[in-house]
Each structure stands twice: as C-alpha cells, then as structure tokens.
Amino acid sequence: MDLYSMTDTGIGEKIGHRIKRLRLRKNMTQVELSKATKLSLNAIKSLEGGKGKLSSIIGILRELHALDNLNNFIPDIQISPLQQAQMGKQRERASGKRIKPAKENQSDW
C-alpha cells in the first residue's frame, strides 16, 4: 500500500506492527523488552499499537539491534562543498513575518 494514501494513524499502526514482528523474531516478550529498554510495559504495548514516542522507538530499535534501520527512515542528505558555497550562508532558523506599525497621521484614503 502507498504510504501517501494512508492516514497518520494507519502509518503509526504499520510501524507498530513491524516493531512487534521484529520483537517476536528476536523471541522476546513485551515484558522482556520492557525490562531491557527500561520502558514501561504500557509504553511497549502502546508503541506496538501504533502510538508512542520517537524516543521509545529509538530505545526499542537499539535493544533489538535494528538501530541501523533509522538510516533508511530518513537518510542523511549530503551537500557537496561546491553546493554549500553556492548557497552561501546556511539558514539556521525561520523568521516570522514582520508587521510594520501603522503611522498615526495616515488616513484610510
């Protein structure tokens, strides 16, 4: 199924199901994984149900020796030095729109 046609909840459930299958392949119970990751049993159940925190996902992938899969999740994009020089200074933060104050003696006409 195309991920773009799925809801956010559906994608979360799919990730949770994959984590559950990975845990089962490693022959671990939810309780064992909970103890190994120092996450609550409810956090494990929640994550496998499609809800949870990114920090929980990272801890579980670390314990299941699948942390390398994060490189596939969002690959590190490399920029060549030439491209960086052409771009100039890299933007570090976004700036909000600035609203100019209205002049006091200005009419609506």
Side-chain angles (χ1 to χ4, degrees), residues 32-97:
E32 291 170 335
L33 185 58
S34 171
K35 288 178 182 177
T37 59
K38 300 196 181 356
L39 294 170
S40 71
L41 181 58
N42 285 337
I44 302 294
K45 289 179 179 180
S46 179
L47 190 61
E48 289 185 1
K51 299 177 178 109
K53 297 179 180 177
L54 184 59
S55 59
S56 299
I57 293 173
I58 292 168
I60 288 171
L61 291 177
R62 182 182 308 280
E63 183 59 35
L64 297 176
H65 303 286
L67 203 53
D68 291 339
N69 292 332
L70 286 179
N71 285 328
N72 296 329
F73 180 56
I74 300 176
D76 187 19
I77 306 299
Q78 300 295 322
I79 299 175
S80 74
L82 181 58
Q83 287 173 317
Q84 195 164 4
Q86 289 173 343
M87 289 187 324
K89 183 180 176 189
Q90 277 190 321
R91 203 172 159 174
E92 295 178 7
R93 61 181 172 217
S95 60
K97 292 183 179 180

